[in-house]
Amino acid sequence: MFVVDSQVHIWKEETPDRPWVPGARERIRLNGHREDPFSYEECLQLMDEAGVNRALILPPSWEGNRIDYALEACEAYPERFGIMARIPQNKPEEGTAMLRDFAQNPYIKGTRLTFHRPQDRNWMIDGTNDWYWPIAEELNIPTMVHAPVWKAELGQIAGRHPGLKIIIDHMGIMARCVDDAIGYWVQETADLYEHPNIYVKVSALPGYSTQPFPNLNIEKYVREMVDKMGPERCFWGTDITRLLGHGLSYVETIEQFTKHFDFTPEELEWIMGRGICECLDWPVADPATAEPAK
């Protein structure tokens, strides 16, 4: 089975020449990420140990909008990494120029927008981000979105821009919701299934359960999402630097789906890698040769 992680963060140490955004360290602690740097070499070593063929790098918000380290990882290991790049969402001219550049870069598979922090939470509804959707659709740039409170609005955007692929982060769950409290957020997201251009990351799941691994109490919510969206539109992912803080290994995050949750081999093929590769037009490679499949 070809395995693709739909979300990892990598970053370097904060230095005067590479400052983090104000308040970033506090947010890292709040969200459970480790504070130490996480290099692409360390990420690749964990991927190899776990049998992960590829990972999508989402440059972390604490480094601002820079993607230079993610590009370095892709240049070093082009068959193993791709990027969902950040943009200045509140700067239309600069953002548009960046998108046009991104569309020509083979390492950049799409972008990731966030609408969950105090500074950007309302940008989807106050007009700040309106410039983005038509240009991303025109350039065919798939877009990951972290916007737990704006499900109806995402559905409206998907309807107005049917050529734009929208991938919802973490099943659309609000941060720090756990156990049965995630049900409301999952249902909201799953009900967007009627929009064929909406996809979902079934990612970072152990962080949404207070029960011991394999977190079987939330399996029913993952099942609900897959049943409504279809396995072709549900993408496994880890957010591994958050889960390492929960004492989990990369192998366990895979086995949660492959050994403990009740999915068929056909469903797993889509969820664990094929779906995200087809969505992003990133041809699946033969795991033995790393050559694109014929």
Side-chain angles (χ1 to χ4, degrees):
M1 183 166 57
F2 196 84
V3 179
V4 181
D5 192 336
S6 64
Q7 177 162 333
V8 301
H9 299 306
I10 60 171
W11 66 94
K12 293 185 175 183
E13 182 58 85
E14 181 181 22
T15 65
D17 293 333
R18 196 180 184 87
W20 291 0
V21 300
R25 202 165 291 276
E26 290 74 17
R27 288 194 61 83
I28 289 176
R29 295 182 188 128
L30 184 65
N31 291 326
H33 284 284
R34 76 185 212 181
E35 291 185 57
D36 293 336
F38 187 63
S39 68
Y40 62 81
E41 292 92 347
E42 182 179 357
C43 184
L44 191 64
Q45 180 180 351
L46 293 175
M47 289 166 59
D48 287 344
E49 292 171 357
V52 176
N53 299 93
R54 287 177 177 166
L56 282 164
I57 299 170
L58 279 60
S61 60
W62 47 91
E63 287 202 313
N65 293 318
R66 65 188 311 155
I67 65 169
D68 55 316
Y69 191 49
L71 285 170
E72 180 183 323
C74 291
E75 289 166 357
Y77 300 98
E79 291 297 333
R80 306 300 297 280
F81 293 116
I83 306 170
M84 302 301 288
R86 297 187 63 84
I87 59 166
Q89 293 172 221
N90 61 339
K91 298 179 180 179
E93 290 188 13
E94 182 179 347
T96 297
M98 291 173 68
L99 288 178
R100 294 196 183 280
D101 287 341
F102 290 169
Q104 305 302 316
N105 190 318
Y107 301 137
I108 296 176
K109 308 303 178 183
T111 62
R112 189 210 190 195
L113 309 183
T114 55
F115 301 94
H116 67 291
R117 301 174 297 170
Q119 65 265 39
D120 59 31
R121 185 168 293 130
N122 290 326
W123 286 357
M124 188 183 292
I125 63 169
D126 67 5
T128 301
N129 218 85
D130 287 356
W131 67 272
Y132 174 85
W133 314 110
I135 187 67
E137 182 181 31
E138 174 192 331
L139 297 173
N140 191 29
I141 296 178
T143 304
M144 289 183 177
V145 178
H146 192 19
V149 299
W150 306 126
K151 304 294 173 46
E153 290 76 9
L154 274 177
Q156 293 166 6
I157 291 167
R160 291 195 297 269
H161 302 283
L164 175 62
K165 296 175 179 178
I166 298 173
I167 306 165
I168 297 176
D169 284 358
H170 309 326
M171 297 204 299
I173 299 170
M174 175 64 78
R176 290 173 287 286
C177 281
V178 294
D179 302 327
D180 288 334
I182 73 174
Y184 168 81
W185 304 98
V186 170
Q187 182 179 355
E188 268 199 332
T189 305
D191 285 345
L192 295 174
Y193 72 91
E194 62 185 18
H195 300 283
N197 55 326
I198 285 184
Y199 306 77
V200 178
K201 287 156 59 181
V202 287
S203 50
L205 294 186
Y208 297 111
S209 171
T210 62
Q211 290 193 7
F213 178 84
N215 318 116
L216 294 179
N217 66 312
I218 62 172
E219 179 184 6
K220 61 186 176 182
Y221 299 114
V222 186
R223 183 79 258 178
E224 176 185 355
M225 187 66 69
V226 172
D227 283 346
K228 283 196 172 181
M229 283 283 174
E232 300 87 352
R233 290 198 279 159
C234 293
F235 310 143
W236 171 81
T238 64
D239 206 7
I240 190 63
T241 46
R242 182 144 55 110
L243 299 189
L244 291 173
H246 289 261
L248 295 176
S249 71
Y250 219 145
V251 173
E252 286 174 316
T253 65
I254 295 174
E255 291 183 345
Q256 183 178 57
F257 277 77
T258 60
K259 290 189 176 181
H260 299 288
F261 287 179
D262 187 19
F263 290 111
T264 68
E266 292 78 14
E267 289 174 324
L268 286 172
E269 179 188 3
W270 284 102
I271 294 168
M272 300 304 294
R274 180 179 176 185
I276 187 73
C277 286
E278 293 202 5
C279 176
L280 301 181
D281 193 24
W282 194 9
V284 172
D286 183 334
T289 64
E291 292 294 327
K294 302 296 184 182

